[in-house]
């Protein structure tokens, strides 16, 4: 569900990633960014070490609080007694299989699903004070345990086995690319736990089906001509996936494995870059793999086709806040669409000027909350020169590049294997084993 993003670094594909790993790769995942207080609990043996190499061993049930103070990290117990200080802190878990729970972890910042929840993390934790004098939390975990926490967040625990396997391969490929190239990295981490990389929520929601899918595909990634590829995915392509160059032109030119195609078994589609065709496509709901039915997960039922009403004043306010004031909006004109019908160039016309916005994500994030996708058509309600509202009718959820998660679920329900699913969404790619 993608899992919407700020600017990301240019994708670099290293030839070194072709080699087998001698050991299970370990990733450093930033799970919390810029919080002024961290609360955690555990029932395990741990060792806490400061940057100054002061150590504290704890066992059994503990409830701890971390906060920044004068550029140092303060860790205190349930009674408020300070038990350790340091410029940074690390908690090493000495009980394999036991996790550390962090309270009120924020998620989905900037999106309509934003919230907080308690989450449990395997492996070790590091805590750093950032430039804003707030805390960043890093989870250090082997890549397979990391995947146990990605699948529930990205495709759900109830997806059929072959869809879970396909998701495991995609997530593993993306993690290894991030680890090898550093394209998502910061000062202390390789990956983030949000949609900037892929969503990772710890292992609190992991079930047996997820573990089996990860284990069954252990070490497998997607490759093209012996080079591991980023296996992008989004929640629902709306019936047609998108060419990467129309979403992230800075990352790549055209690639067959990142090309847009109909999400159907044997079908052709009209040219969705044309206004008449895209309107018919959205309004008549083609028989695509990702078309929702009784087998579609609850979280995905409203994403194949959707509607949104917006008032001109609301749009004017949003445009003024992010760009400049052009008065009351009276027209919205798509200028360019990608192969899936997603808009990547649009103009908003007001009674005192206009604003042109380029980029699929920039267009989606103009709205508060963001649109599900930029594949939409617009209808005016009221007089053409002074509409009372605009009706946005759209298709899909997400950028549309690579695997459509709802389509993968439907394919698995119809008996397709994870190899079939990956071949459908990543044309010309093949599976490759990177470690045992």
């Amino acid at each position: 569900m993608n899992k919407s993003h700020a600017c990301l670094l240019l994708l670099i594909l290293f030839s070194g990633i072709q080699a087998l790993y001698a050991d299970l790769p370990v990733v450093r995942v930033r799970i919390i960014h810029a919080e002024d207080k961290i609360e955690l609990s555990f029932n395990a043996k741990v060792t806490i070490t400061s940057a100054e190499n002061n150590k504290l061993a704890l066992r059994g049930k503990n409830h701890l609080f971390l906060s920044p103070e004068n550029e140092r990290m303060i860790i205190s117990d349930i009674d408020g007694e300070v038990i350790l200080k340091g410029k940074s802190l690390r908690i090493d878990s000495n009980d394999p299989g036991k996790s550390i729970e962090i309270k009120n972890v924020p998620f989905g910042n900037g999106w309509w699903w934003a919230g907080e929840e308690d989450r449990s993390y395997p492996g070790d934790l590091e805590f750093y004070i950032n430039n804003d004098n707030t805390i960043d939390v890093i989870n250090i975990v082997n890549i397979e345990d990391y995947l146990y926490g990605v699948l529930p967040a990205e495709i759900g625990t109830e997806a059929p086995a072959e869809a879970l396997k396909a998701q495991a391969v995609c997530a593993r490929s993306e993690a290894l690319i991030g680890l090898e190239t550093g394209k998502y990295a910061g000062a202390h981490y390789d990956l983030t736990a949000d949609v900037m990389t892929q969503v990772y929520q710890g292992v609190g929601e992991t079930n047996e089906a997820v573990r089996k899918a990860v284990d069954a595909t252990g070490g497998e990634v997607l490759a093209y001509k012996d080079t591991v590829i980023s296996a992008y995915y989004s929640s629902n392509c709306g019936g047609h996936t998108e060419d990467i160059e129309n979403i992230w032109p800075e990352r790549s030119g055209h690639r067959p494995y990142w090309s847009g195609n109909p999400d159907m078994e044997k079908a052709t589609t009209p040219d969705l870059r044309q206004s008449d065709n895209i309107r018919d496509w959205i309004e008549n709901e083609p028989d695509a793999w990702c078309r929702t039915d009784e087998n579609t997960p609850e979280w995905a039922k409203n994403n194949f086709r959707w509607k949104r009403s917006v008032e001109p004043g609301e749009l004017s306010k949003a445009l003024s806040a992010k760009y400049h004031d052009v008065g009351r909006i009276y027209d919205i004109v798509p200028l360019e669409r990608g192969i899936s019908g997603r808009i990547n160039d649009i103009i908003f016309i007001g009674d005192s000027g206009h604003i042109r916005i380029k980029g699929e994500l920039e267009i989606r994030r103009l709205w508060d909350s963001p649109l599900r996708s930029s594949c939409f058509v617009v209808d005016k309600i009221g007089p053409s020169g002074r509409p009372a509202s605009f009706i946005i009718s759209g298709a899909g959820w997400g950028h549309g590049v690579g695997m459509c998660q709802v389509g993968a679920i439907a394919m698995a329900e119809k008996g397709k294997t994870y190899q079939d699913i990956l071949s459908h969404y990543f044309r010309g790619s093949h599976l490759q084993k990177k470690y045992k």
Side-chain angles (χ1 to χ4, degrees):
M1 298 179 337
N2 313 309
K3 27 165 155 153
S4 340
H5 320 88
C7 292
L8 296 175
L9 297 176
L10 179 69
L11 175 61
I12 307 170
L13 297 177
F14 281 73
S15 60
I17 200 172
Q18 297 174 27
L20 282 173
Y21 284 81
D23 301 308
L24 193 62
V26 172
V27 292
R28 301 172 300 160
V29 189
R30 190 185 69 186
I31 55 176
I32 296 177
H33 175 53
E35 290 295 305
D36 55 14
K37 186 176 183 179
I38 304 295
E39 179 182 355
L40 52 86
S41 65
F42 53 85
N43 184 5
K45 294 185 295 182
V46 306
T47 301
I48 308 176
T49 306
S50 71
E52 298 78 10
N53 206 34
N54 296 315
K55 294 181 181 291
L56 178 66
L58 298 175
R59 65 173 59 209
K61 292 183 178 180
N62 281 274
H63 202 109
L64 305 178
F65 300 86
L66 288 89
S67 58
E69 182 180 293
N70 298 325
E71 299 183 349
R72 293 169 69 83
M73 195 84 64
I74 306 297
I75 186 166
S76 55
D77 62 18
I78 191 73
D79 298 318
E81 180 181 350
V82 174
I83 59 175
L84 199 63
K85 297 181 180 181
K87 289 185 176 180
S88 64
L89 294 170
R90 177 179 172 117
I91 299 180
D92 288 291
S93 175
N94 301 319
D95 271 342
K98 290 192 175 181
S99 57
I100 297 175
E101 183 180 67
I102 302 181
K103 306 290 186 180
N104 305 314
V105 177
F107 62 87
N109 291 337
W111 297 90
W112 65 85
W113 63 84
E116 293 182 347
E117 66 181 11
D118 300 345
R119 290 182 170 179
S120 296
Y121 296 95
D124 306 319
L125 298 172
E126 290 182 344
F127 305 84
Y128 296 93
I129 298 176
N130 57 42
N131 292 335
D132 297 322
N133 201 36
T134 54
I135 301 172
D136 289 352
V137 184
I138 314 300
N139 186 199
I140 302 170
V141 62
N142 77 63
I143 195 169
E144 299 297 289
D145 284 349
Y146 164 76
L147 295 177
Y148 293 152
V150 171
L151 268 63
E154 287 289 2
I155 200 168
T157 59
E158 303 304 316
E162 296 302 304
L164 287 170
K165 292 176 187 177
Q167 180 67 71
V169 172
C170 289
R172 186 182 292 109
S173 301
E174 189 66 4
L176 281 181
I177 284 286
L179 186 62
E180 290 290 330
T181 67
K183 70 171 183 168
Y184 300 121
H188 306 292
Y189 61 87
D190 307 306
L191 310 170
T192 63
D194 54 20
V195 295
M196 290 287 289
T197 307
Q198 49 195 0
V199 181
Y200 167 66
Q201 62 181 29
V203 294
E205 301 298 321
T206 301
N207 65 3
E208 188 62 23
V210 167
R211 291 183 181 276
K212 285 182 176 180
V214 173
D215 296 348
T217 62
E220 289 185 349
V221 296
L222 273 180
Y224 181 79
K225 295 182 179 179
D226 290 328
T227 298
V228 177
I229 65 172
S230 284
Y232 299 114
Y233 52 88
S234 63
S235 180
N236 191 312
C237 70
H240 201 295
T241 58
E242 185 54 79
D243 290 341
I244 190 172
E245 61 268 31
N246 294 327
I247 303 298
W248 301 301
E250 74 281 3
R251 294 191 187 183
S252 173
H254 186 76
R255 297 288 187 275
Y257 45 87
W258 290 329
S259 60
N261 294 285
D263 192 24
M264 306 169 188
E265 191 158 26
K266 293 180 181 179
T268 58
T269 58
D271 186 350
L272 300 180
R273 295 167 292 189
Q274 303 301 315
S275 57
D276 290 344
N277 291 340
I278 188 62
R279 177 172 290 277
D280 183 68
W281 171 264
I282 290 174
E283 292 178 351
N284 291 299
E285 300 192 11
D287 188 20
W289 284 117
C290 56
R291 181 177 179 174
T292 53
D293 58 24
E294 67 276 4
N295 295 317
T296 304
E298 197 61 38
W299 56 263
K301 286 188 181 295
N302 298 320
N303 299 326
F304 183 64
R305 294 294 182 268
W306 46 268
K307 286 186 182 292
R308 178 108 164 243
S309 176
V310 60
E311 296 181 357
E314 178 186 344
L315 267 180
S316 298
K317 183 178 179 181
L319 287 164
S320 179
K322 292 189 176 183
Y323 300 95
H324 58 268
D325 184 16
V326 294
R328 179 186 171 90
I329 300 300
Y330 67 84
D331 208 359
I332 303 172
V333 183
L335 299 178
E336 184 178 275
R337 295 178 184 269
I339 196 170
S340 71
R342 283 167 170 78
I343 302 168
N344 51 42
D345 193 355
I346 194 169
I347 190 167
F348 295 85
I349 304 173
D351 53 23
S352 61
H354 67 273
I355 291 175
R356 184 175 180 179
I357 302 176
K358 294 185 178 183
E360 177 266 351
L361 183 59
E362 288 299 309
I363 293 167
R364 280 203 281 154
R365 297 195 77 162
L366 172 65
W367 276 260
D368 185 22
S369 59
L371 294 180
R372 282 172 163 78
S373 87
S374 70
C375 181
F376 60 83
V377 294
V378 182
D379 291 295
K380 297 180 183 181
I381 304 300
S384 178
R386 191 174 175 83
S389 64
F390 298 98
I391 302 298
I392 313 295
S393 302
W397 179 5
H399 50 71
V401 178
M403 187 178 76
C404 172
Q405 291 167 309
V406 175
I409 289 170
M411 290 181 71
E413 293 282 2
K414 297 295 185 181
K416 301 294 185 181
T417 67
Y418 78 100
Q419 295 96 331
D420 296 331
I421 294 168
L422 295 172
S423 294
H424 172 67
Y425 290 111
F426 301 95
R427 307 292 170 98
S429 69
H430 61 272
L431 290 168
Q432 192 174 87
K433 193 90 165 178
K434 303 311 295 184
Y435 53 85
K436 296 181 179 180

